[in-house]
Every structure is written in structure tokens, then in C-alpha cells.
Amino acid sequence: GLSDQFRCIALDAPGYDGQPSDPLTPTEIGTRIIEFLDALEIPVADLVGLSLGAMHALYALGVAPERIGRAVLADTSLAFGVDPIEWLAEWLAPVDQGGSPVELATGAIDAIVADPLTDDVRSSLANAFGRVTEAALRQASATIAHHDATAIASSVSNPCLVVCGEHDEETPLPYAEALTETLPQGKLAVIRGAGHLSSIEHPESFNEITRNFLA
């Protein structure tokens, strides 16, 4: 939806398609993103991330802010808001009981959107989890549960747009407001009618907001 104006590149996070899934610290995650830009010979890039992807963008800002122009941080948080051990146990329970990442995703997607997704979008999203190994899923989940970018966000001078779905119950509006207030150049945009997957639930609104900010 943005490729008419921008060169759009999607990064597969560690753990997809057999990539290494060793435990990664925020600094290591941010470094891998910068190394990705190095490999593509891109001196400066804007970053757009949703949920965990937005956490990754924050980590990259913490490693090399000079390599990033602007950042769109959608449906994410400054820090994880509940007990990480309890959340991990509840979130990973389907996998602990022998289920697959796809089965976990299928059960979770409906709970985090404001309105049901179309069958094809829902299926595509769930099947994407099939590219993730169980080990990588567990490590990514741990990254979420122990996320805390307070120190990073307070020192970031890059322009950042924090996007929040109006009905996001995973990272609700107060989380987005706290992140926006901590970022020195943070701005907030709310997508009406969207839940936690704002870019997927309302792509036209998301793309318009993103286009205007990056331009």
C-alpha cells in the first residue's frame, strides 16, 4: 500500500524459515536490524513496526539512531504491563499442551482484533506462524514479556509516530500515551475501530497515517 511512494522492505525476524533463534537481547536484536540495512547498503531507513515489530524498531533506535530517519511504532508499549511469568504460562499453554504455533495463533487472533478478519486474511496471518519454530516462538514471547524500552525511548531524538487501535486491549491507549510522552519527538495517532492489529484490520487508515508521517 505504500510502495508507490516508498521502497518497502519486509524483514523476517530471527526464527523465521530456519534462521538462527538463539536467545537475543534487545541490543542484539537492534544490531541485527542495522546489519540488515548494511547488507542492503541502505545508509538511512524509516522503520515501521507492529507490536513485537515495533519493539524491535525501538531496539534498533537504541543501537544506531543515526541509521534511522523516522519510526512508526504501532500497537506496542514502553514496557510490558503485566506479570511476565504468568503471561508466558497462559500464552504458551497451547504449545505446552502439544499444540503448534499455528494452532496458538488461530486461537489468539480472534481475541485481539476489534472485528473479525476476513477468512483469507485470518488464514494468511495464522499460517505465517507456521514459518516460526517452537523455539523461536518461545524466545520471541520471552522478548515481549520482558520488554522495557524506557531508557531507550527517553533518549531517542528521531521523530516517532505511535499508532494505537481504538479498541486495542493488548497494548491499550494509556500504554501508547506513556510511550508517546517518553519519546522526545513522539506523536500519537489513534485508528478508530481497530484492535491490536491496526495495520491489518484497517490498512487504508494505517497507510494514510504512515504515508503522511513519513512524507
Side-chain angles (χ1 to χ4, degrees), residues 47 54-55 57-62 65 68-79 147 149-163 175-189 213:
L47 299 182
M55 295 178 185
L58 279 167
Y59 301 156
L61 283 164
I68 299 163
R70 293 172 174 248
V72 178
L73 311 169
D75 299 291
T76 194
S77 64
L78 185 63
H147 168 69
T150 305
I152 294 173
S154 63
S155 63
V156 168
S157 61
N158 306 61
C160 296
L161 179 66
V162 179
V163 179
Y175 286 31
E177 291 172 337
L179 176 58
T180 305
E181 291 169 2
T182 305
L183 291 162
Q185 289 203 67
K187 294 183 178 180
L188 176 64
F213 176 70

Side-chain angles (χ1 to χ4, degrees), residues 10 36 56 76-77 94 103-105 133 139 155 160 173 177 188 211:
F36 178 71
H56 284 197
T76 194
S77 64
E103 291 169 328
L104 182 149
T133 65
Q139 289 162 10
S155 63
C160 296
L173 184 58
E177 291 172 337
L188 176 64
R211 185 188 300 275

Side-chain angles (χ1 to χ4, degrees), residues 128-146:
F129 274 70
R131 296 170 52 201
V132 186
T133 65
E134 180 180 328
L137 173 66
R138 291 183 181 278
Q139 289 162 10
S141 300
T143 298
I144 295 172
H146 297 286

Side-chain angles (χ1 to χ4, degrees), residues 60-198:
L61 283 164
V63 169
E66 73 280 1
R67 297 293 302 278
I68 299 163
R70 293 172 174 248
V72 178
L73 311 169
D75 299 291
T76 194
S77 64
L78 185 63
F80 196 64
V82 299
D83 182 272
I85 304 303
E86 292 182 3
W87 179 83
L88 279 171
E90 180 179 354
W91 164 246
L92 293 173
V95 177
D96 291 335
Q97 295 164 8
S100 68
V102 173
E103 291 169 328
L104 182 149
T106 301
I109 290 170
D110 294 339
I112 62 176
V113 296
D115 295 311
L117 301 175
T118 61
D119 289 343
D120 59 335
V121 172
R122 183 175 180 273
S123 176
S124 175
L125 189 59
N127 288 338
F129 274 70
R131 296 170 52 201
V132 186
T133 65
E134 180 180 328
L137 173 66
R138 291 183 181 278
Q139 289 162 10
S141 300
T143 298
I144 295 172
H146 297 286
H147 168 69
D148 188 342
T150 305
I152 294 173
S154 63
S155 63
V156 168
S157 61
N158 306 61
C160 296
L161 179 66
V162 179
V163 179
C164 182
E166 178 185 16
H167 304 299
D168 184 353
E169 296 182 357
E170 302 300 308
T171 51
L173 184 58
Y175 286 31
E177 291 172 337
L179 176 58
T180 305
E181 291 169 2
T182 305
L183 291 162
Q185 289 203 67
K187 294 183 178 180
L188 176 64
V190 177
I191 296 185
R192 301 301 176 189
H196 184 61
L197 304 181
S198 59

